[in-house]
């Protein structure tokens, strides 16, 4: 059967009335060259195959959420120049709402050139973002937050994302009497999750703002951590006291710290052959969010996250996860 068919609730009609998950961050164009082996510097190699793919963490999160049957929206900036059709058509093909995206003229679509090695499954990314402006707080304030059941932020554009999360907090305060929607985060009507992936100092300022924090292995190592449990203990010093902290380390699986301080863990589920690791972290994150937004236990959430990420690295791209 399909990879996702055994996951509780996937594709069920009960989701129709559901509020959207909003993913805020980057959409870019990934130009992927698949090679047998990673080339030597200054060599001349023929690829095995090549493809264009819509990328960017928040955009990839939406691709996976949508396949899991979750209504979702991507919120970010897009260039009106070259490649807009490709990007918009692909969002549409994946049933991802982009109604509130902000368009800019006279600037280029961010592009990643990706070398994907079949021997190891490694993905080497060279990213360029010449001049596409980031979202602003003013853009964010135009959203009707009552449409959403969850907001996920990519840990970038820190100066603007900080007041965006504060804005959500204010909204939460004025809506806290609304009934719990079953997200497992108490009374909070609109939980905020945040993913910090890049090993950069700036995003650290966002750590205390998240209800649910995802940190990558790269970022954990940047903080001087060498294991997943050390990472969770380290981050817990800076998060809200009752935050959920989640870290996935590829073939080492994932570990998470629940809001009450208890730890849960999942092994990785590697496929027979790893063919494409591009967006594996985004897949883990989206699947875990899916579970959290449905009120699954944290253990079940990271277990599902590892399973679907494992399935993803066994296939090219994201098509056919479901
Ligand atoms: C994968 C990804 C790619 C994109 C790059 C941006 O996680 O989102 O799709 O090119 O990272 O850093």
């Amino acid at each position: 059967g399909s990879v996702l068919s055994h996951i509780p609730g996937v594709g069920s009609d009960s989701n129709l009335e559901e509020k959207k998950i909003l993913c805020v961050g980057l959409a870019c164009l990934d130009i992927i060259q698949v090679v047998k082996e990673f080339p030597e510097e200054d060599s001349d190699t023929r690829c095995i195959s090549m493809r264009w793919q819509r990328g960017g963490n928040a955009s990839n999160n939406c691709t996976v959420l949508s396949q899991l049957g979750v209504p979702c929206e991507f919120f970010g900036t897009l260039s009106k120049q070259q490649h807009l059709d490709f990007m918009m058509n692909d969002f549409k093909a994946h049933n991802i709402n982009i109604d509130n995206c902000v368009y800019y003229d006279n600037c280029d679509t961010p592009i990643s050139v990706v070398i994907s090695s079949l021997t190891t499954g490694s993905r080497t990314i060279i990213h360029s973002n010449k001049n596409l402006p980031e979202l602003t707080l003013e853009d964010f304030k135009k959203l009707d937050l009552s449409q959403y059941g969850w907001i996920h932020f990519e840990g970038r554009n820190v100066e603007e994302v900080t007041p965006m999360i504060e804005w959500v907090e204010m909204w939460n305060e004025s809506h806290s009497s609304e009934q719990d929607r079953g997200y497992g985060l108490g009374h909070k009507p609109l939980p905020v999750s945040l993913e910090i992936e890049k090993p950069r100092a700036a995003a650290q300022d966002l750590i205390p703002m998240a209800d649910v924090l995802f940190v990558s292995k790269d970022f954990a190592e940047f903080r001087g951590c060498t294991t997943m449990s050390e990472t969770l203990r380290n981050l817990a010093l800076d998060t809200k006291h009752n935050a959920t902290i989640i870290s996935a380390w590829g073939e080492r699986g994932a570990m998470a710290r629940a809001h009450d301080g208890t730890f849960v863990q999942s092994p990785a589920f590697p496929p027979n052959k790893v063919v494409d690791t591009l967006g594996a972290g985004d897949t883990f994150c989206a699947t875990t969010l899916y579970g959290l937004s449905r009120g699954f236990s944290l253990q079940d959430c990271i277990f599902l996250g590892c399973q679907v990420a494992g399935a993803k690295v066994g296939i090219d791209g994201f098509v056919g996860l479901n």
Side-chain angles (χ1 to χ4, degrees), residues 269-271 305-315:
F269 295 88
C306 286
Q307 281 185 310
V308 179
K312 190 268 140 305
V313 301
I315 61 170

Side-chain angles (χ1 to χ4, degrees), residues 196-309:
I196 305 186
E197 189 201 26
K198 309 276 182 285
R200 291 189 205 127
Q204 305 199 100
D205 294 347
L206 296 170
I207 292 172
M209 310 191 78
D211 299 311
V212 176
L213 176 71
F214 291 88
V215 291
S216 70
K217 177 169 182 264
D218 279 357
F219 181 74
E221 286 173 346
F222 169 77
R223 298 263 295 193
C225 303
T226 54
T227 63
M228 291 189 282
S229 55
E230 187 187 0
T231 303
L232 302 178
R233 281 193 299 271
N234 173 293
L235 266 304
L237 301 173
D238 292 345
T239 58
K240 285 183 186 170
H241 75 279
N242 59 351
T244 298
I245 312 172
I246 303 168
S247 196
W249 285 38
E251 63 288 339
R252 285 203 234 172
M255 211 186 251
R257 180 193 179 275
H259 57 91
D260 62 0
T262 55
F263 282 29
V264 293
Q265 186 167 12
S266 168
F269 295 88
N272 290 334
K273 173 137 184 54
V274 174
V275 296
D276 174 25
T277 58
L278 183 66
D282 303 335
T283 304
F284 170 81
C285 186
T287 308
T288 303
L289 278 181
Y290 160 83
L292 290 171
S293 73
R294 282 187 170 36
F296 296 176
S297 75
L298 187 58
Q299 172 71 76
D300 286 351
C301 291
I302 63 169
F303 191 75
L304 282 177
C306 286
Q307 281 185 310
V308 179

Side-chain angles (χ1 to χ4, degrees), residues 26-32 53-61 110-114 123 125-128 154 156 195 197-198 200 277-283 318:
L26 178 76
C28 66
L29 172 62
D30 289 348
I31 298 179
I32 302 163
Q53 204 168 282
R54 175 175 46 79
N57 291 18
S59 148
N60 290 335
N61 293 151
I111 293 184
S112 292
V113 170
V114 181
R123 91 290 181 267
I125 303 173
I126 305 171
H127 185 67
S128 76
E154 232 181 280
R156 56 183 295 122
E195 185 216 13
E197 189 201 26
K198 309 276 182 285
R200 291 189 205 127
T277 58
L278 183 66
D282 303 335
T283 304
F318 298 98

Side-chain angles (χ1 to χ4, degrees), residues 136-147:
T136 66
L137 174 63
E138 290 315 306
D139 299 329
F140 191 83
K141 282 184 171 173
K142 292 181 189 144
L143 300 175
D144 168 11
L145 294 184
S146 67
Q147 299 181 63

Side-chain angles (χ1 to χ4, degrees), residues 98-111:
I98 51 167
D99 285 353
N100 293 297
C101 281
V102 181
Y103 297 85
Y104 281 93
D105 235 326
N106 301 318
C107 55
D108 296 321
T109 295
I111 293 184

